[in-house]
Amino acid sequence: TVQEAFYRDSEVAVVGVNQEAVEEAQFLTKFASTVHWITNTKITAEEGYKQQLLSCPNVKHWDNTRMTAILGDDSGVTGITVQEKGSSSEEQIDAEGVFIYVAGSKPITDFCEGKVAFKEDGGVDVNDEMSTNVPGVFAIGDIRNTPYKQVVVAASDGCVAAMAIDRYLKGRKSVK
């Protein structure tokens, strides 16, 4: 919900079957000329949201189809290739932006398993200052598995963590 306005009057692709993918595609309909929604398995998003998205005149649903490549050049993304299940041929779709929401949203955290506490959803458990249960260890951004996977969220987390780390390193009880 930050970068979408950059795609005003452009074709974009959203890849995914989950609620996040549907909500992203729905939001993009306000800006993009065409939203190509690519789904390769059973859609797990809420039925009402799915139907609302499919009723938008600028949404093209590519059901039972997987994205096989993102195309681009020095200017950025220029399109994607897709392949329908059961077909041996691929089709190229023009797109200036691609939003990928696949394999759920569980962050990759194997490098810190057994070292810090985790929430049930797989994200690293932190307090309001981004501190984990291990003194001096902080976590920010997608690794926390928040509902919003945006750079601005990670940057905000980083600002909070930086002030908390400064306080931690200097042994202060509050930020000045």
Side-chain angles (χ1 to χ4, degrees):
T1 55
V2 175
Q3 65 277 356
E4 289 86 348
F6 293 115
Y7 299 100
R8 186 172 305 281
D9 301 322
S10 301
E11 292 193 43
V12 299
V14 176
V15 181
V17 297
N18 59 20
Q19 190 68 28
E20 287 176 301
V22 171
E23 289 176 5
E24 182 70 31
Q26 182 71 45
F27 191 73
L28 281 161
T29 63
K30 299 175 186 176
F31 303 97
S33 62
T34 304
V35 176
H36 297 277
W37 183 29
I38 316 300
T39 59
N40 65 343
T41 60
K42 182 178 184 288
I43 298 167
T44 59
E46 294 178 32
E47 185 66 24
Y49 284 92
K50 177 182 112 174
Q51 292 306 323
Q52 184 179 12
L53 175 62
L54 292 173
S55 71
C56 293
N58 60 336
V59 171
K60 178 162 185 190
H61 186 204
W62 299 77
D63 195 20
N64 292 314
T65 302
R66 68 184 184 99
M67 181 178 68
T68 57
I70 298 175
L71 309 172
D73 56 27
D74 290 342
S75 68
V77 172
T78 59
I80 62 173
T81 57
V82 296
Q83 184 176 30
E84 188 175 358
K85 281 186 183 174
S87 172
S88 60
S89 63
E90 293 183 338
E91 187 170 344
Q92 185 171 328
I93 301 171
D94 292 335
E96 292 182 31
V98 182
F99 300 80
I100 302 172
Y101 295 88
V102 294
S105 58
K106 184 176 179 185
I108 298 170
T109 56
D110 57 337
F111 66 93
C112 57
E113 285 180 11
K115 297 175 179 90
V116 297
F118 288 87
K119 301 180 295 184
E120 283 186 32
D121 66 7
V124 174
D125 192 21
V126 297
N127 64 17
D128 289 343
E129 295 182 333
M130 305 300 142
S131 180
T132 67
N133 64 312
V134 178
V137 177
F138 298 79
I140 65 167
D142 291 357
I143 197 169
R144 296 190 314 112
N145 205 24
T146 62
Y148 305 105
K149 310 294 190 268
Q150 299 286 331
V151 169
V152 71
V153 173
S156 173
D157 288 356
C159 179
V160 170
M163 290 186 289
I165 291 166
D166 181 61
R167 185 175 69 238
Y168 174 81
L169 292 174
K170 293 182 179 177
R172 293 186 269 167
K173 296 199 186 280
S174 63
V175 178
K176 292 182 181 180

